Amino acid sequence: MMVVIVCTPRPSVILTDVNNSLAAPSAKHLLGTDNLGRDLYALLVIGGLRTLEVVAIATLISLTGGTFLGIIAGLSHHHSVKQLIQFFSDLILCTPSFIVAMFFSAVFGFSPVMAGIVFGIVNMGEYINQATNLTILVKRQDFITAEIAIGLNQWQLIIHHILPNIYRPLLVFLGNSAGNIVIQYAGLAFIGLGTDITTPDWGTMIYQYRDYLVTDPQLILLPTLAIGLLSLFFHLLFDNTARQKEWSIYE
Amino acid sequence: MIQQVGRWLGKWLLIFFISSILIFYLIRSIPASPVSYWLSYYNLPHTKSNIAWVSAQMGLDKPLFWQYVNWLRDFCQGNWGYSLISGASIKEIFLARLPYTLCIGLGGILLAAIGAFWLGYYSALHRHGFWDMVSSGLAIFSQTIPSFIIAMVIIYYIGVKWHLIAFFSGNSGWALTFAILLTALYSLGSLSRVVCHSFQGEMNKSYIRFAVTRGFSKEYVLRHHATIPVLSQLLAALIAKFAWVFGGSTVLEFAFGIPGISTFLVESLQATDYPVLQTYMLIVILWMFIVHAIFNLVLQAIDPRRNLWNEK
Amino acid sequence: MKKMWGILLIACCALFLAGCHQQKDKDHVTIGVTSLINKIDPTNSGDPWSLTSDGISETLYTQDKDGKLVSHLVKSLSQTGPLTWQMTLKSGVKFSNGSPVTAQVVADCMNQIMEKNKNARDSAGKLTFKAEGKDVVNITTERETKVMKSILAEWTNIIYKKDGKSYVFTGPYYVKRFDPGKSLVLAPNQYYDDNANKRPDVTLKVFKDTSAMKQAFEAHEIDMAFTVTPAIAKQLTKQGEVVKQIDAGYQYFALVNTNKEPLNDQNVRQAVSLAMDRRAMVKQLGGGRVATGFFAHYYGFDSNLKLHQDLKAARQALAKAGYTTKNKDGYVTKDGHPLELTITTYNARPDLPTIAQEAVSDLKKVGIKAHVKLVDNIDTTAEKRNYDLIFYAQHTAPTGEPSHALSMFLRSDSSKNVMGYSNPDVDAMIDELMKTDQDDPKRNQLAKKIQNQAAKDLPVIYLVDPQWHVAVSQSLKDYQPFCGDYYIVNPSLRKPN
């Protein structure tokens, strides 16, 4: 589905067309045009790609960085290493990601890469904590203790036992945080610090088209829908619905 | 215990220092300089002597280390400096604007916490029942629809179309009320899920199951025995929400045009008003410290078995 | 649980009812504007202009509705030598605190302005004022001029007096309350004339976002929106609101950084100018006309250039500048580097971002990659001279006279020449223009010649001669703004009946 959307030919999002502003959907413009005559479909797709870029960069950073540091903290025998990682995660956990992202976009210009890196680093704290706790749980299991006694080395332990056991809960968390990043990025673009108004982001579009909320509501509805669907998609993608528990006595 | 509290305080002091150094260097690395801004503002030529004079006035000619020390000392003494843009005292601006932001954040989250406790409780009682659906629905809603859209719709219908409320003139009471309600609505979903899961977790524990099989109603058992662990989980979830007060209220303040501290941040960022930005970041850290301290005290009080000063 | 929700519901209802009982003050006019001063400092660059526009201060001469220069302060003005003038003040004129406007006060404040505000020294150099007796002020100029009235009408030259920590002025209104950059509450100045009681109190309120301003207007929270974008004007007109179209007098043009790659190459500047589809810009704005020079079309001294898009010529100019190859995205390159430009502009004139977006589209058609950057304080950005193109708006003839704007922007090293432009011929022509009598037809010829030379050298690219839209409530439907936004709050404001 995504591949189809990305590969569909679409007009440039930069070219304006005064004589064709606010046009209805047609073969040339699948979803019609905006107030400047730009193709709405193309704007939405580019906005979506930019959002996906942010999500990809951010989750990659927090997942790999967070898991790595978390496993180290969970396995390390040195108290100081544990403390250091714990301190780092505490520090970034109390950093408001949105403010930091606003700060960077105002100073260094707004871009998906920048937003992705900021969200990625600041969200790492949760991953570190989860990975640490999960690693400790795995390590405490009897058979692991036994295998370590036989001479299992650290890498084998991580690859064969820890990673397979901790990736599932981390992915659920990833689904949630990816969905939140979609919303946060939209909010960032809506406020619009340092944005280039000619590059479309869903949040920027909603801000730019706010005058048309009543007269041409599709301009607002479409990006809103896109934000909602993408974020919902991430939430459902990794959602662990099979959280089966014993309910017999209550029902 | 006292030793642990001491270590906890030490950790925060360290956080404060490390962040202040990061903030200081980050802001100093901004490509635009306040000196040139000041000169342009007063329409003075960028001559060498002018630049040297203004730098000296701003204390920017000293080594970076001393600039940092002076800044921190001034901050601790309550001397937060002056805005480059309006020349007004930053402390006065902050004191005038902080109430709005805190009102939105604290009001919204406290309202959400109260609502979430009851919503979570009722959804835990009847799985897939009405309240469970409401709670899940709200959680999904708040994670998929950006709050600024709802704000735009509210302003349009209530303010513009029906003329019920003046959002743009007069005091910001109404905008504030709606911002608080929206904040509450957006936190209610996820918090009620926390409560619900936490109640369900307790329901699976043997002491509750035992009491229920003995014939007590589950409502009675839950309310009398499971409240404390659930509350402490809810409070733990609230800490994360409070981190959000400063950043998260930005979008709503911006959409409603509330003169809070976050809109001021946006303006200061646009104008790269360095003293304001530096102070703002430190205030955020102080705020986080206070929140953590208060929550630890409260949690300790309701659940003495937990020892939070020694986190994990 | 139910009880709690009940209480909440009741509380909400009560609040709603309380909200519905808001009464609107009939004698109070609220005006939404796009920008406002941050502090009241009569010698600080653009601030005196704001003070006059808001009805607080007055320049020695002001333009009236018919474009004539009149004065509330000066009785007569005459030239006594090539560099000397004599001005006689009207007697009995007072500041808003009742203290008299004497020759000494006028001389002191004008000398201070000449010292502190470099924008004041652009026309005839630094003027020196000397009081003689109670009513007479002698003026000495650095350069010869024939248009002293116009110079005294320049926005920098306002009359003020320090009153304790604050300032007092002579305009029809005085400041009652001031929230820097946010709002300004004004009350009629009792010492201005006999009509003070007929004037309403005025609140000026800033809306950085025209959409919010439109909503506030629709919600009847403001009586006037100064100004709204054409798109909003169209929507409001459709809803039956009163929207006035005014010839702004302002011109939209691009400042070009002639000292920085790649626009230091005249061919590239030429290509940019030729690529601009000014007709599309006018259409996007829903009004106005293609610029024919540096001034509004109704001035006799506006040039009559025919500027139109010529993509073929633009591409040729780019080829001449060495941009002969194209990269895979279709952008022209020179030595492997694509041609990229940043257009910097600002939100306080909401039309500018719109035409900047059109410009990006036009430039793409000739293979130039362009970005738009919005900044808050455009003049600071310009001052740093690190930009490529700035889309700018300025009233180029607020005194009904061309030499001021030409001198301010195009003379080498003058205050608004942030383009780094220097052409000795132009400097000489500006000097000559200043020396030419106000009624001499040679003036208009000279002004046109300067504009045409600038169109060749391209330190500025003329874009649009716009029309503005001001939405007013029924009670203000007789209000007629003039001279752009130079006199938003003017003495003709009357209490709504």
Side-chain angles (χ1 to χ4, degrees):
Chain A
M1 163 100 164
M2 286 239 187
V3 177
V4 174
I5 289 178
V6 173
C7 295
T8 320
R10 50 177 194 271
S12 161
V13 290
I14 291 175
L15 292 181
T16 57
D17 182 0
V18 207
N19 300 316
N20 214 355
S21 59
L22 297 171
S26 63
K28 199 174 155 216
H29 301 290
L30 282 176
L31 295 173
T33 60
D34 75 351
N35 56 329
L36 294 171
R38 298 182 296 174
D39 185 79
L40 204 54
Y41 175 72
L43 288 164
L44 281 174
V45 173
I46 301 280
L49 288 177
R50 287 167 65 86
T51 309
L52 286 176
E53 198 183 335
V54 177
V55 172
I57 294 174
T59 46
L60 197 71
I61 291 177
S62 15
L63 188 65
T64 50
T67 316
F68 178 72
L69 289 176
I71 291 178
I72 289 183
L75 287 182
S76 174
H77 300 295
H78 299 287
H79 194 60
S80 54
V81 174
K82 270 185 196 171
Q83 285 250 304
L84 197 70
I85 294 176
Q86 189 57 52
F87 179 75
F88 176 66
S89 93
D90 280 351
L91 183 69
I92 51 182
L93 266 178
C94 70
T95 315
S97 56
F98 196 75
I99 292 180
V100 177
M102 271 201 317
F103 192 88
F104 275 86
S105 48
V107 174
F108 303 109
F110 180 91
S111 76
V113 178
M114 181 279 308
I117 292 174
V118 171
F119 287 142
I121 292 177
V122 178
N123 287 345
M124 212 193 277
E126 287 282 348
Y127 287 87
I128 296 178
N129 284 353
Q130 291 227 6
T132 312
N133 293 343
L134 289 166
T135 307
I136 291 172
L137 277 182
V138 173
K139 205 172 75 173
R140 277 193 196 142
Q141 285 170 21
D142 292 341
F143 76 99
I144 301 278
T145 327
E147 287 204 42
I148 293 175
I150 306 172
L152 184 77
N153 77 27
Q154 293 276 13
W155 288 110
Q156 285 169 325
L157 175 70
I158 293 172
I159 292 166
H160 293 295
H161 296 289
I162 295 180
L163 281 180
N165 273 306
I166 68 170
Y167 87 94
R168 200 174 284 276
L170 281 180
L171 280 185
V172 175
F173 184 68
L174 182 142
N176 283 320
S177 73
N180 287 335
I181 288 171
V182 174
I183 301 271
Q184 288 215 14
Y185 182 66
L188 202 60
F190 179 78
I191 288 181
L193 280 172
T195 48
D196 175 353
I197 49 173
T198 55
T199 32
D201 277 302
W202 291 340
T204 316
M205 289 169 75
I206 293 172
Y207 186 73
Q208 281 182 350
Y209 301 148
R210 66 207 181 287
D211 289 343
Y212 301 92
L213 178 67
V214 185
T215 49
D216 301 274
Q218 79 278 7
L219 292 183
I220 298 281
L221 274 179
L222 287 170
T224 310
L225 210 63
I227 295 170
L229 285 179
L230 187 63
S231 141
L232 196 62
F233 167 77
F234 281 122
H235 280 292
L236 297 181
L237 185 61
F238 298 111
D239 198 11
N240 188 355
T241 41
R243 204 183 281 136
Q244 290 299 331
K245 292 209 170 121
E246 289 174 59
W247 286 91
S248 52
I249 65 158
Y250 297 111
E251 272 153 22
Chain B
M1 176 75 186
I2 288 169
Q3 197 191 353
Q4 279 169 351
V5 173
R7 272 179 55 188
W8 184 85
L9 280 173
K11 188 188 86 179
W12 272 96
L13 218 57
L14 203 61
I15 289 188
F16 183 78
F17 270 111
I18 292 184
S19 335
S20 65
I21 291 173
L22 282 176
I23 293 162
F24 183 79
Y25 279 93
L26 194 70
I27 288 170
R28 285 304 139 103
S29 67
I30 293 175
S33 100
V35 176
S36 126
Y37 188 92
W38 196 90
L39 285 173
S40 310
Y41 193 88
Y42 286 96
N43 229 331
L44 294 166
H46 287 60
T47 60
K48 266 207 178 104
S49 63
N50 275 351
I51 290 175
W53 184 78
V54 177
S55 300
Q57 284 290 304
M58 292 181 170
L60 298 176
D61 54 343
K62 298 199 181 72
L64 269 184
F65 175 74
W66 285 113
Q67 286 184 37
Y68 168 76
V69 170
N70 286 343
W71 167 58
L72 213 59
R73 190 198 56 209
D74 286 349
F75 179 83
C76 294
Q77 288 174 350
N79 174 12
W80 296 353
Y82 297 90
S83 156
L84 283 182
I85 309 305
S86 61
S89 152
I90 294 176
K91 199 167 165 185
E92 275 168 31
I93 303 176
F94 275 36
L95 288 181
R97 284 169 173 264
L98 213 52
Y100 290 103
T101 302
L102 289 183
C103 214
I104 298 175
L106 292 176
I109 291 172
L110 288 181
L111 210 59
I114 298 168
F117 182 82
W118 291 103
L119 187 55
Y121 168 71
Y122 281 105
S123 19
L125 284 182
H126 306 282
R127 248 159 77 90
H128 306 303
F130 175 71
W131 292 113
D132 196 21
M133 302 292 231
V134 169
S135 149
S136 312
L138 266 177
I140 293 174
F141 165 81
S142 56
Q143 280 161 348
T144 46
I145 309 289
S147 56
F148 52 85
I149 304 262
I150 309 294
M152 277 167 59
V153 172
I154 288 178
I155 292 175
Y156 177 72
Y157 279 101
I158 297 181
V160 177
K161 189 125 190 248
W162 300 329
H163 298 301
L164 286 178
I165 288 165
F167 277 112
F168 303 100
S169 53
N171 57 25
S172 333
W174 277 109
L176 205 59
T177 313
F178 277 100
I180 292 172
L181 290 177
L182 269 185
T183 307
L185 190 70
Y186 268 78
S187 311
L188 188 56
S190 62
L191 286 180
S192 66
R193 289 328 283 164
V194 169
V195 173
C196 174
H197 287 150
S198 155
F199 266 122
Q200 284 172 353
E202 294 299 318
M203 281 158 92
N204 278 324
K205 284 192 181 153
S206 44
Y207 77 103
I208 303 270
R209 296 169 81 97
F210 180 65
V212 170
T213 38
R214 271 178 59 201
F216 288 104
S217 80
K218 58 185 174 186
E219 285 88 350
Y220 177 85
V221 181
L222 282 182
R223 261 195 248 163
H224 284 85
H225 298 294
T227 319
I228 295 230
V230 169
L231 267 186
S232 73
Q233 283 203 27
L234 176 62
L235 284 175
L238 280 182
I239 293 191
K241 287 274 168 199
F242 274 103
W244 173 94
V245 163
F246 271 88
S249 63
T250 315
V251 173
L252 284 178
E253 277 185 31
F254 184 75
F256 280 112
I258 295 168
I261 207 151
S262 307
T263 35
F264 185 58
L265 175 73
V266 174
E267 288 162 18
S268 305
L269 279 169
Q270 273 166 346
T272 47
D273 194 339
Y274 308 104
V276 172
L277 297 179
Q278 287 181 344
T279 309
Y280 180 90
M281 298 299 242
L282 280 193
I283 299 277
V284 169
I285 297 166
L286 272 185
W287 163 250
M288 293 305 296
F289 166 75
I290 294 169
V291 166
H292 276 86
I294 292 177
F295 270 86
N296 278 359
L297 284 174
V298 172
L299 281 175
Q300 196 82 61
I302 62 168
D303 192 3
R305 282 168 303 171
R306 289 176 81 144
N307 188 349
L308 289 135
W309 302 104
N310 188 11
E311 282 161 46
K312 271 154 231 138
Chain C
M1 165 86 180
K2 271 183 192 144
K3 212 188 248 169
M4 199 188 77
W5 284 113
I7 293 171
L8 216 86
L9 203 72
I10 292 171
C12 281
C13 288
L15 283 170
F16 255 102
L17 287 173
C20 294
H21 277 285
Q22 282 171 341
Q23 283 276 321
K24 254 202 103 196
D25 184 359
K26 281 272 172 212
D27 290 346
H28 199 110
V29 169
T30 308
I31 303 177
V33 290
T34 49
S35 66
L36 202 65
I37 36 175
N38 282 315
K39 46 185 152 184
I40 297 177
D41 178 354
T43 57
N44 182 29
S45 57
D47 289 1
W49 165 76
S50 291
L51 291 170
T52 305
S53 163
D54 300 342
I56 302 162
S57 65
E58 273 183 321
T59 44
L60 281 164
Y61 276 87
T62 53
Q63 211 176 50
D64 70 1
K65 281 190 175 160
D66 310 316
K68 255 181 36 204
L69 289 177
V70 293
S71 182
H72 168 237
L73 302 157
V74 181
K75 195 156 91 189
S76 65
L77 178 71
S78 58
Q79 190 156 22
T80 50
L83 296 178
T84 52
W85 293 74
Q86 189 169 67
M87 169 168 81
T88 313
L89 299 174
K90 287 184 184 168
S91 56
V93 181
K94 284 177 178 155
F95 284 106
S96 60
N97 67 350
S99 72
V101 180
T102 62
Q104 193 56 50
V105 172
V106 169
D108 286 348
C109 85
M110 290 309 295
N111 286 332
Q112 221 166 25
I113 288 169
M114 287 296 151
E115 192 64 46
K116 287 194 177 163
N117 198 340
K118 66 179 178 189
N119 294 125
R121 305 191 288 262
D122 281 330
S123 292
K126 189 171 162 184
L127 313 188
T128 318
F129 292 77
K130 205 161 179 295
E132 189 187 304
K134 222 179 104 220
D135 307 323
V136 177
V137 182
N138 290 316
I139 309 171
T140 317
T141 63
E142 273 181 2
R143 286 190 284 263
E144 191 178 341
T145 179
K146 296 281 178 195
V147 287
M148 184 53 82
K149 258 193 200 178
S150 300
I151 292 176
L152 295 179
E154 285 170 14
W155 48 262
T156 49
N157 304 334
I158 59 170
I159 298 303
Y160 64 87
K161 189 178 169 189
K162 205 148 190 174
D163 179 30
K165 266 188 177 170
S166 59
Y167 296 92
V168 286
F169 303 92
T170 61
Y173 279 90
Y174 72 94
V175 181
K176 221 163 129 186
R177 226 174 27 249
F178 177 46
D179 184 5
K182 299 263 155 4
S183 70
L184 190 58
V185 181
L186 306 169
N189 169 7
Q190 299 296 329
Y191 299 97
Y192 185 77
D193 59 10
D194 301 332
N195 289 325
N197 293 331
K198 295 182 190 155
R199 294 195 185 101
D201 282 6
V202 172
T203 301
L204 291 160
K205 198 170 157 47
V206 163
F207 290 87
K208 290 225 159 137
D209 168 14
T210 42
S211 180
M213 178 140 82
K214 170 205 169 205
Q215 292 188 328
F217 180 77
E218 286 179 291
H220 303 314
E221 289 181 45
I222 55 175
D223 304 291
M224 189 196 306
F226 204 114
T227 59
V228 293
T229 59
I232 292 176
K234 214 192 273 174
Q235 289 176 9
L236 288 177
T237 315
K238 220 182 256 172
Q239 295 165 23
E241 304 281 359
V242 184
V243 180
K244 306 217 160 181
Q245 269 199 3
I246 54 169
D247 284 316
Y250 269 71
Q251 296 295 296
Y252 297 160
F253 49 90
L255 302 173
V256 190
N257 195 340
T258 61
N259 286 344
K260 184 174 165 245
E261 291 265 357
L263 289 165
N264 55 354
D265 184 337
Q266 183 174 352
N267 288 310
V268 181
R269 300 205 289 272
Q270 196 69 48
V272 171
S273 177
L274 286 166
M276 295 291 153
D277 189 351
R278 295 171 178 84
R279 273 171 55 201
M281 287 178 186
V282 169
K283 213 161 173 187
Q284 296 280 25
L285 294 182
R289 51 189 81 203
V290 172
T292 56
F294 203 38
F295 299 96
H297 62 279
Y298 48 82
Y299 289 115
F301 43 81
D302 182 38
S303 189
N304 33 25
L305 294 158
K306 299 251 177 303
L307 301 168
H308 53 84
Q309 190 186 33
D310 187 342
L311 296 177
K312 214 176 120 201
R315 288 192 191 103
Q316 281 167 359
L318 282 177
K320 245 200 260 170
Y323 291 92
T324 43
T325 43
K326 279 194 175 184
N327 66 11
K328 62 178 181 1
D329 300 325
Y331 294 112
V332 292
T333 55
K334 177 166 138 184
D335 311 326
H337 298 292
L339 181 48
E340 276 193 52
L341 296 175
T342 303
I343 299 174
T344 312
T345 188
Y346 51 106
N347 265 326
R349 287 264 76 85
D351 288 350
L352 292 176
T354 308
I355 62 171
Q357 267 176 299
E358 175 63 37
V360 169
S361 168
D362 297 340
L363 289 172
K364 185 185 158 69
K365 287 181 189 149
V366 295
I368 300 175
K369 190 173 190 176
H371 313 273
V372 177
K373 192 173 146 201
L374 295 179
V375 296
D376 212 36
N377 194 328
I378 191 71
D379 290 320
T380 314
T381 314
E383 226 21 80
K384 285 187 196 136
R385 307 202 181 189
N386 196 26
Y387 63 93
D388 293 323
L389 287 163
I390 283 180
F391 276 25
Y392 202 74
Q394 170 104 10
H395 195 314
T396 44
T399 61
E401 191 280 330
S403 68
H404 181 221
L406 291 173
S407 178
M408 188 159 69
F409 280 95
L410 299 178
R411 193 197 286 274
S412 316
D413 296 322
S414 62
S415 70
K416 284 225 164 184
N417 185 350
V418 288
M419 304 81 79
Y421 176 63
S422 172
N423 184 339
D425 294 346
V426 169
D427 290 353
M429 282 192 281
I430 292 172
D431 280 340
E432 204 184 326
L433 179 65
M434 307 260 319
K435 284 182 211 156
T436 315
D437 261 325
Q438 184 90 52
D439 310 321
D440 193 336
K442 239 178 77 193
R443 272 187 79 82
N444 289 359
Q445 291 312 315
L446 259 171
K448 285 181 190 175
K449 236 171 115 183
I450 298 169
Q451 291 169 65
N452 297 350
Q453 187 58 43
K456 281 199 195 99
D457 298 340
L458 290 168
V460 291
I461 297 174
Y462 312 133
L463 296 172
V464 176
D465 179 4
Q467 224 164 17
W468 280 1
H469 307 270
V470 180
V472 290
S473 66
Q474 284 299 328
S475 58
L476 282 180
K477 64 177 190 294
D478 296 328
Y479 170 85
Q480 187 59 47
F482 62 99
C483 196
D485 55 0
Y486 267 63
Y487 309 103
I488 298 179
V489 180
N490 59 50
S492 71
L493 269 180
R494 288 291 179 271
K495 282 179 188 171
N497 308 312

